[in-house]
Amino acid sequence: MLNQVPPLEPIDFFEVDLALREALEREGGGWGVGRAHDAGTVAGSIEAREHSRRAERNQPLLRTHDRHGNRIDEVELDPSWHWLLRGAIERELHSLPWREPCPGAHVVRAALMALWGNANGGVLCPVSMTYAAIPALRDGAPELAVAWEPRLTRPDYDHGALAGMAMTERQGGSDVRANITRAEPVAGGGDAGEDVYELRGHKWFCSYPPCDVFLVLAQAPAGLSCFLVERGPGMEFQRLKDKLGTRSLPSSELELHGAYGRLVGEEGRGVPAIARMVNHTRLDCLLGGATGMRRGTVEAIHHSRHRSAFGAPLVDQPAMRNVLADLAIESEASTAAAIRVARSYDETADSAFRRFATAVMKYWVCKRATAHAAEALECLGGNGYVEDSGMPRLYRDAPLGSIWEGSGNVSALDVLRAVVKEPAGLPAFIAECELAAGGDARLDAHLARTREQAQTIFQEGGDPQFQARRMVEELALALQGSLLVRYAPPAVADAFCAARLGGEGGRVYGTLPTGVDAKAILDRALPA
Ligand SMILES: Cc1cc2nc3c(=O)[nH]c(=O)nc-3n(C[C@H](O)[C@H](O)[C@H](O)COP(=O)(O)OP(=O)(O)OC[C@H]3O[C@@H](n4cnc5c(N)ncnc54)[C@H](O)[C@@H]3O)c2cc1C
């Protein structure tokens, strides 16, 4: 057999990711290099690849009743799923910053998420929800945090606990205020005679039903409220979703028949209570988008180096070099932004930037991820369309980040809302972008335009919602450009500024202008 591409694995995904390695050091996570090499090596092993394929092939099954007709609601999961999730839990992807609240802990965790995502994106859903539930519990129900945190943060797959969330209902997911699930107070109804609520209603999406606890939104007498509900009586999982992607991950429909809920936050203040959780899961959506792009870039470059057509390796052919370099700069820009945003979770002083930047970058990176996956898949030709390559899974999984925890429009509108209601966010974001002022004329001009646009969009006669996506896109590009101008090699920063900010690029990947140093970009993106 001639002209066949060797398997990518085994590989240390961290070792070959210079952008991630530099970002980890720069953003305060240098102490996590050893952990990152471990995660990168295990995620890049042949064993991990085979587990991921198997978990994807043997999709989860919901058994609602046993043979005697008793309700059991058990999800059968392939042993490979457990291998993948165990690996994430034992590496503290769900808990590192809460167990070791030291500088850089969120950054190290973000890098570990980006690396383990190469093994399997599906398992990162319960990991992310568990990580994100902790701040919601600490803020909204300290006594529940005391009770549950030791188990939720334990890096022990067999004896720890996992948390899920159930907000979305049939009649609306983005608009959670339209929730109709009811929560009736039961004075002294809890096991220890404490006050609880009985929840009745239906949830249209509830991922990972094996979770031990769920944060659930329901209408209490004072309005929409957030509850911690333990898996058990009063919860019936009706069926699993037949999904486009993340097929190894069970996502369910859930009926609540008087399940006991304990209040998180104040009654009637459910949205701010769960927002603490959602901000953290949004960070993980952003990381997931960057991870997918990185994997697509690596697969595309690897293939092109080992496959020839018309007498020369693909990687040496100018049209392919353009595509690969374009994919690579998009990936590096997304990695740099994701790890910078993760750092803001480590620093209290960065809170204005954190909230704003998470929404902006979640929107943009997740939006870019699907087209990026399609282009990376195409680099492998027909092989990219075949499951063995792993590219169909990458492609199927890509749109999820742009739907979950705020679909595109909802994320963009969230940024608009933040501009008006949290006036410190936009200036903090712009100030971060301006740290690169004077570094590249195209970035400076883009920043000036973006600042002006963010002001004029709200002027009388404007239509801010109609323009929201455009504004968020420009903001996101400004942060990515700023980070690359400050920290990336000149070849990467120059190509990004020319194509994305200077108007010299085209509309699809592979349209970088003449003069960019594609060789330098590719040598960096995947050292030979
Ligand atoms: C794989 C998967 C797992 C999930 N897991 C969970 C889970 O565990 N728990 C959970 O609670 N939910 C979960 N969800 C649900 C998810 O969060 C919702 O699907 C999402 O929030 C969108 O809600 P919706 O589906 O009701 O769409 P809608 O809210 O009906 O939105 C439809 C479209 O309208 C747009 N739109 C909405 N409002 C506006 C507006 N004001 N202006 C302009 N456009 C607008 C949206 O951007 C979207 O494109 C999951 C979804 C998926 C796909």
Side-chain angles (χ1 to χ4, degrees):
M1 280 194 293
L2 301 171
N3 203 20
Q4 297 303 297
V5 177
L8 179 65
E9 299 90 352
I11 186 171
D12 175 352
F13 281 114
F14 184 60
E15 179 68 30
V16 297
D17 193 342
L18 299 183
L20 181 62
R21 279 167 50 184
E22 291 165 15
L24 183 67
E25 293 280 356
R26 182 170 71 236
E27 307 295 1
W31 55 267
V33 165
R35 286 172 179 249
H37 274 300
D38 159 67
T41 308
V42 178
S45 65
I46 294 167
E47 191 182 12
R49 183 188 68 198
E50 293 309 314
H51 279 303
S52 196
R53 279 185 185 161
R54 206 176 114 158
E56 193 76 357
R57 210 171 39 238
N58 300 335
Q59 290 180 33
L61 211 70
L62 175 66
R63 290 178 63 235
T64 54
H65 295 82
D66 67 11
R67 65 197 179 97
H68 305 295
N70 301 315
R71 188 99 209 174
I72 50 169
D73 284 4
E74 271 177 20
V75 181
E76 280 180 15
L77 290 150
D78 190 272
S80 286
W81 165 271
H82 293 296
W83 187 92
L84 292 159
L85 183 53
R86 178 185 295 276
I89 298 297
E90 290 179 352
R91 287 176 177 77
E92 298 182 277
L93 271 63
H94 65 313
S95 62
L96 182 63
W98 316 130
R99 284 169 50 80
E100 293 177 45
C102 58
H106 283 280
V107 168
V108 172
R109 173 191 175 268
L112 297 179
M113 289 285 282
L115 293 163
W116 201 252
N118 283 288
N120 186 279
V123 295
L124 297 186
C125 173
V127 165
S128 175
M129 293 190 294
T130 305
Y131 156 74
I134 299 295
L137 289 177
R138 283 184 181 177
D139 274 15
E143 70 294 352
L144 290 176
V146 168
W148 276 97
E149 198 173 314
R151 281 188 65 202
L152 288 171
T153 57
R154 196 175 294 168
D156 176 343
Y157 188 55
D158 299 313
H159 304 103
L162 294 170
M165 58 172 23
M167 302 187 284
T168 309
E169 299 187 4
R170 271 201 188 91
Q171 71 282 357
S174 314
D175 184 7
V176 288
R177 291 188 191 277
N179 275 190
I180 53 175
T181 294
R182 309 291 316 168
E184 298 294 337
V186 185
D191 300 336
E194 77 278 26
D195 296 346
V196 291
Y197 291 75
E198 275 181 4
L199 273 59
R200 288 192 170 76
H202 187 268
K203 294 289 173 181
W204 187 233
F205 272 99
C206 178
S207 285
Y208 209 53
C211 284
D212 302 86
V213 286
F214 298 84
L215 267 73
V216 181
L217 288 183
Q219 298 286 356
L224 192 67
S225 309
C226 180
F227 298 92
L228 186 79
V229 179
E230 284 180 43
R231 188 176 196 277
M235 294 183 94
E236 290 186 0
F237 294 95
Q238 295 188 309
R239 63 169 178 162
L240 298 184
K241 299 286 194 188
D242 184 6
K243 293 179 294 179
L244 167 70
T246 58
R247 287 155 92 149
S248 56
L249 162 76
S251 299
S252 67
E253 292 165 21
L254 164 67
E255 213 160 73
L256 296 158
H257 295 286
Y260 280 169
R262 291 175 169 78
L263 201 56
V264 177
E266 288 170 42
E267 197 180 295
R269 303 270 303 151
V271 173
I274 208 145
R276 288 287 286 147
M277 181 171 189
V278 170
N279 282 340
H280 288 75
T281 44
R282 282 184 176 174
L283 169 66
D284 288 350
C285 291
L286 159 58
L287 283 163
T291 303
M293 287 197 224
R294 172 65 192 161
R295 181 57 180 266
T297 304
V298 168
E299 294 281 359
I301 298 175
H302 175 75
H303 185 89
S304 304
R305 281 187 180 149
H306 293 92
R307 177 87 170 176
S308 296
F310 302 99
L314 289 171
V315 74
D316 292 336
Q317 312 219 16
M320 182 59 97
R321 270 214 310 278
N322 195 328
V323 173
L324 297 172
D326 212 351
L327 294 174
I329 61 167
E330 190 74 26
S331 167
E332 175 150 0
S334 301
T335 297
I339 301 298
R340 169 63 188 94
V341 175
R343 190 185 96 207
S344 67
Y345 284 71
D346 280 318
E347 294 175 6
T348 324
D350 230 4
S351 65
F353 173 81
R354 173 170 65 228
R355 162 80 176 89
F356 197 82
T358 305
V360 169
M361 298 315 302
K362 190 268 189 196
Y363 167 79
W364 180 242
V365 170
C366 293
K367 230 353 108 221
R368 298 289 282 174
T370 306
H372 192 283
E375 197 65 61
L377 180 154
E378 191 175 320
C379 290
L380 277 71
N383 291 314
Y385 206 73
V386 172
E387 291 291 340
D388 282 348
S389 70
M391 300 306 280
R393 176 160 61 89
L394 194 73
Y395 181 63
R396 283 194 302 267
D397 288 357
L400 175 59
S402 191
I403 295 174
W404 192 50
E405 304 302 60
S407 306
N409 289 348
V410 173
S411 300
L413 295 177
D414 189 40
V415 176
L416 276 191
R417 200 174 309 114
V419 171
V420 177
K421 293 208 161 159
E422 297 163 42
L426 177 63
F429 188 89
I430 296 281
E432 169 76 24
C433 297
E434 283 177 342
L435 292 175
D440 186 289
R442 293 159 297 193
L443 174 63
D444 292 343
H446 178 85
L447 269 169
R449 278 196 307 273
T450 305
R451 264 194 313 266
E452 195 185 320
Q453 189 192 24
Q455 281 151 11
T456 55
I457 195 172
F458 292 104
Q459 279 173 3
E460 213 171 316
D463 191 347
Q465 294 199 15
F466 201 71
Q467 294 297 320
R469 280 187 178 220
R470 190 60 201 271
M471 185 189 89
V472 180
E473 175 173 329
E474 304 298 0
L475 286 166
L477 287 170
L479 180 62
Q480 289 183 320
S482 173
L483 289 165
L484 294 186
V485 166
R486 276 182 279 159
Y487 305 122
V492 174
D494 176 61
F496 188 90
C497 289
R500 308 286 194 266
L501 309 180
E504 295 175 63
R507 288 172 186 79
V508 295
Y509 289 108
T511 51
L512 295 176
T514 310
V516 305
D517 190 346
K519 183 177 180 320
I521 294 170
L522 296 184
D523 287 348
R524 172 175 170 81
L526 186 61

